[in-house]
C-alpha cells in the first residue's frame, strides 16, 4: 500500500511512521512537496533505512554532511539514524518522490541472525555512509531503479503475496 505523505515528527525530530510499521516494518510513502509549507519536509530522522526515488521534478536533499540535487529518476539511500531534509529547489512545484522506509529485520528476518551480521550491520555501522546517490547511468544502476519502480507498482496493486515480493526485490536491490 502506498501511503500519501503526511509528515509528522516527535519533539526530537524522529519521524512518526504509520502505526502498523511495527507489525510490518516497511512502508512506501508518496510525497508531493506541493502539499507542504515552503515545499519542504524539515529535518528529521528515523532508525530505519530509506530509499528515495524522484518521480517528478527536482528535489534538494540534505544530510548534515552532504547536499544532493536530485533529478527525475534518481535514487538515494539514507542510512539509519541520519538527519535529513527534502525541499523543492526555489520552491518549484510538481516535485514528487517515493520513499521506501524499512527496518533491517524486514530484510534479515531474524534479529542478530547471519544476514544481519554479514550484510546489514556493515552498512548500519558505517557512519561515513550516511547517504548514497544512485543515478540511473549504468546498466547496474538502471536495474536498481527498475527494482524500486517494481516495488512502487507492487504497492499500488497489492497482488496476493506482494509483501514477500517486496522483501525479495529489496534484497536483490
Amino acid at each position: 500500500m502506498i501511503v500519501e505523505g503526511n509528515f509528522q515528527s516527535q519533539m526530537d525530530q524522529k519521524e512518526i511512521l504509520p502505526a502498523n510499521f511495527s507489525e510490518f516494518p516497511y512502508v512506501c510513502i508518496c510525497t508531493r512537496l506541493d502539499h507542504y509549507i515552503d515545499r519542504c519536509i524539515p529535518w528529521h530522522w528515523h532508525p530505519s533505512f530509506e530509499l528515495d526515488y524522484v518521480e517528478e521534478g527536482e528535489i534538494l536533499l540534505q544530510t548534515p554532511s552532504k547536499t544532493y540535487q536530485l533529478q527525475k529518476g534518481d535514487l538515494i539511500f539514507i542510512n539509519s539514524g541520519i538527519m535529513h531534509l527534502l525541499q523543492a529547489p526555489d520552491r518549484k512545484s510538481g516535485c514528487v518522490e517515493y520513499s521506501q522506509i524499512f527496518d533491517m529485520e524486514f530484510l534479515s528476518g531474524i534479529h542478530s541472525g547471519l544476514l544481519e551480521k554479514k550484510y546489514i550491520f556493515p552498512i548500519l555501522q558505517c557512519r561515513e555512509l550516511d547517504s548514497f546517490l544512485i543515478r540511473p547511468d549504468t546498466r547496474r544502476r538502471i536495474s536498481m531503479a527498475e527494482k524500486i519502480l517494481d516495488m512502487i507498482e507492487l504497492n499500488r496493486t497489492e497482488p496476493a503475496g506482494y509483501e514477500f515480493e517486496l522483501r525479495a526485490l529489496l534484497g536483490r536491490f
Side-chain angles (χ1 to χ4, degrees):
M1 169 172 62
I2 295 175
V3 175
E4 285 295 323
N6 184 21
F7 178 79
Q8 296 179 15
S9 65
Q10 299 174 354
M11 293 297 289
D12 64 357
Q13 296 175 296
K14 181 180 179 185
E15 183 175 2
I16 298 170
L17 296 173
N20 66 342
F21 193 77
S22 59
E23 186 178 301
F24 186 67
Y26 164 90
V27 64
C28 179
I29 300 173
C30 176
T31 301
R32 299 174 194 286
L33 290 177
D34 289 353
H35 297 171
Y36 294 89
I37 295 171
D38 290 331
R39 293 185 171 98
C40 179
I41 295 182
W43 288 101
H44 65 283
W45 68 278
H46 36 73
S48 304
F49 296 117
E50 182 171 339
L51 276 168
D52 291 348
Y53 172 79
V54 180
E55 182 175 80
E56 291 295 331
E58 294 180 4
I59 294 176
L60 184 75
L61 186 139
Q62 288 183 274
T63 69
S65 64
K66 297 175 185 146
T67 300
Y68 299 95
Q69 186 79 30
L70 305 174
Q71 306 193 12
K72 182 177 179 174
D74 284 349
L75 299 163
I76 191 160
F77 167 78
I78 303 165
N79 210 341
S80 168
I82 300 300
M83 290 285 285
H84 56 286
L85 73 75
L86 292 101
Q87 63 186 32
D90 301 321
R91 296 185 179 131
K92 289 181 184 172
S93 64
C95 301
V96 179
E97 65 93 27
Y98 285 89
S99 299
Q100 316 291 316
I101 300 175
F102 56 97
D103 279 354
M104 63 180 156
E105 287 87 9
F106 182 69
L107 284 178
S108 68
I110 300 172
H111 181 64
S112 297
L114 173 71
L115 297 177
E116 265 187 22
K117 290 176 185 172
K118 188 173 180 180
Y119 298 104
I120 298 171
F121 281 164
I123 294 169
L124 181 68
Q125 296 168 344
C126 183
R127 296 329 295 166
E128 297 83 36
L129 180 62
D130 68 346
S131 53
F132 186 78
L133 173 63
I134 303 163
R135 287 226 151 93
D137 55 6
T138 66
R139 181 173 290 172
R140 183 175 187 187
R141 290 175 175 204
I142 290 169
S143 174
M144 294 168 88
E146 287 171 345
K147 287 174 181 53
I148 296 300
L149 289 170
D150 289 346
M151 292 173 70
I152 293 167
E153 185 59 23
L154 282 170
N155 278 286
R156 277 192 184 114
T157 59
E158 296 184 30
Y162 81 101
E163 299 91 344
F164 289 113
E165 187 59 25
L166 287 171
R167 191 165 72 175
L169 281 167
L170 200 50
R172 287 192 296 269
F173 175 85

